[in-house]
Amino acid sequence: MNNIHLIIGEDDYLVGEAAKKAVGDGVGLEVVDSANATNAELQLADLARAEESVATPPFLDPKKVTWWKNVGFLPGGKASEDVKTALERFAKKLAAAPLPPNQAFVLSGPRLLKTSVFAKTLQTCAEVVVFAAEKPWEAARNAAARAVDFAQELGLSFAPGAAERFAAVVGPDARSLRSELEKMRDYLGAEAREVTAADVEAISSPGVGVEPLPWDVTDAIGRRDLGAALAALRPFELENSFAVFMTGVVERFFRQLLDVAAGRTDGLAPFTVKKNEGFLRNWSVNELRVARARFVLLRERVVSGVASGDLLVVPTLARVMRRRNAR
C-alpha cells in the first residue's frame, strides 16, 4: 500500500477528511501547518520542517506519519523561484528513496499545476487524490449527492426532492452541508429519520459563500400572488443595487419557467422542475414571454443608468402579475 499521499482541492473539508483517512489513528503523527506561510522565508522554513520530519524515523512509536497541510504555495499557487526549486528537489528525494513500511507522508493543499515538475515527480511515488473545481451546475448536482451521502452517515434520509432543495439552500460547500445536516439531526430528534422539504425550509441556512436567495419572492411570483411577492420583496429594497439584483432574479425566474414549459430541464434539480411545473398552471407561455421581456428591458435601463430602477421594480412586477381579466 502506498505510504505517500498527495491530496489537492479547494474544498478544505473534503481535503481534510481525505487526509485524515490517510493519517489513520494518529499514532506517531507530526503536523506541519503552512496556513500562515505567506512569504518565501516561512515557506522554505516549513519545507525544511516537513523534510526533517520525513527523514526522522519513529523512535518510541511503532510508526511515523508526517502531515504537511495547507500548502498553498505548490506549483500553480504563488511561490518564488527559490521555493519552486526547493519543492522540486524535495519531490525528487521522495521519489528516489521510498519510505519504510512504518512511515507515511501526507501532503495537502488547495491547488497544484499538474504539468509541473513537482506534480509529475510525485505522481511516480504517491497516491494522488484531486478534488477538481466544479462548474456551477456540477456543484449543484454534486452537492445534492454529497448531502445524501452525509445524511446516510448520520442515520438520515431525504424525502423525494428534499436533497435537491437542501443543496440549493445550503450551497456546495461540503463543510456547510455536513454542519447543516448535523443541525437537522438535532432538530428532528431521535425518532424522526427522514428529512422533508418542509424541514429544510424550517431549519436550513445558506452555507459558506452563499448569499440568501429571495425564494419567497420567486415562489410568490410563481403562485401569482402579488401581495405575497411585494411583502417578500420589501426586505431587499434597502439593500445596495436592489434594482440590478432583483431585476436579474425575476428575469431569470421567468426564463426558467419558459425553459420548463418548453421541456428544457437539463441542469435543473427534479424538485425545481416539479415546483415550476406547478407554477406553470398560473401562467400562459405568452404571459411569461411578455413578463420576461419587460424585466430584460428594465434591467438594461437600470444597468445603463437610464432609469431609476429602485422606483420601477414594484410597478413593473405588479403590471406583469396582473391577470388579463382583472379590472
Side-chain angles (χ1 to χ4, degrees):
M1 186 175 181
N2 207 321
N3 52 358
I4 299 178
H5 304 267
L6 177 61
I7 304 169
I8 302 297
E10 306 230 6
D11 191 314
D12 64 339
Y13 179 82
L14 296 179
V15 170
E17 290 300 300
K20 289 174 185 177
K21 290 180 181 178
V23 166
D25 57 14
V27 174
L29 175 63
E30 289 186 7
V31 176
V32 179
D33 191 343
S34 290
N36 296 319
T38 56
N39 58 50
E41 181 180 358
L42 294 174
Q43 293 163 2
L44 289 170
D46 281 356
L47 173 55
R49 288 174 57 207
E51 193 167 359
E52 180 182 1
S53 178
V54 171
T56 305
F59 291 111
L60 299 179
D61 291 319
K63 63 179 182 178
K64 170 77 172 290
V65 181
T66 301
W67 181 9
W68 189 13
K69 62 190 294 188
N70 296 318
V71 188
F73 48 89
L74 298 176
K78 295 181 179 179
S80 67
E81 287 301 320
D82 288 345
V83 173
K84 290 179 182 178
T85 300
L87 285 168
E88 291 176 5
R89 184 172 61 249
F90 178 49
K92 291 175 181 177
K93 184 180 294 186
L94 286 173
L99 297 178
N102 63 340
Q103 272 193 262
F105 175 62
V106 181
L107 171 60
S108 61
R111 64 192 66 84
L112 173 63
L113 183 63
K114 64 181 181 180
T115 56
S116 64
V117 173
F118 179 85
K120 290 181 178 179
T121 302
L122 277 190
Q123 285 171 358
T124 65
C125 63
E127 178 183 5
V128 181
V129 176
V130 177
F131 296 99
E134 300 169 331
K135 302 294 184 183
W137 57 90
E138 294 172 334
R141 182 180 65 245
N142 293 342
R146 193 166 290 140
V148 170
D149 292 340
F150 287 161
Q152 290 176 346
E153 293 173 8
L154 295 170
L156 301 174
S157 63
F158 284 101
E164 290 80 6
R165 180 58 172 165
F166 178 78
V169 171
V170 178
D173 179 70
R175 189 182 301 279
S176 297
L177 290 169
R178 180 77 183 205
S179 175
E180 286 296 311
L181 277 170
E182 290 173 352
K183 184 173 74 174
M184 180 67 72
R185 180 186 56 188
D186 295 338
Y187 168 77
L188 293 175
E191 299 301 322
R193 298 286 89 186
E194 184 178 71
V195 180
T196 67
D199 295 327
V200 174
E201 299 296 340
I203 195 66
S204 298
S205 304
V208 174
V210 177
E211 293 294 329
L213 296 177
W215 302 110
D216 290 343
V217 176
T218 53
D219 284 354
I221 293 173
R223 297 193 306 270
R224 209 155 183 167
D225 185 338
L226 178 59
L230 296 181
L233 195 68
R234 198 161 294 121
F236 295 92
E237 290 180 327
L238 297 178
E239 299 291 332
N240 292 331
S241 303
F242 158 72
V244 174
F245 171 68
M246 194 53 66
T247 54
V249 167
V250 176
E251 184 275 324
R252 187 164 55 248
F253 177 67
F254 283 126
R255 173 161 35 96
Q256 189 178 87
L257 287 180
L258 283 167
D259 286 342
V260 173
R264 297 187 295 268
T265 59
D266 289 348
L268 293 179
F271 175 81
T272 302
V273 174
K274 183 177 180 180
K275 184 170 69 170
N276 286 346
E277 287 174 343
F279 291 153
L280 288 175
R281 292 193 292 267
N282 304 316
W283 296 86
S284 71
V285 170
N286 188 57
E287 287 175 326
L288 291 173
R289 288 172 178 161
V290 171
R292 185 193 170 207
R294 291 193 185 282
F295 272 90
V296 168
L297 177 60
L298 178 57
R299 181 173 175 78
E300 290 175 351
R301 295 178 67 194
V302 169
V303 172
S304 64
V306 173
S308 178
D310 288 358
L311 302 177
L312 296 177
V313 171
V314 169
T316 303
L317 185 60
R319 183 178 183 181
V320 301
M321 290 184 68
R322 187 180 302 118
R323 296 183 185 274
R324 287 186 175 183
N325 60 355
R327 293 187 180 272

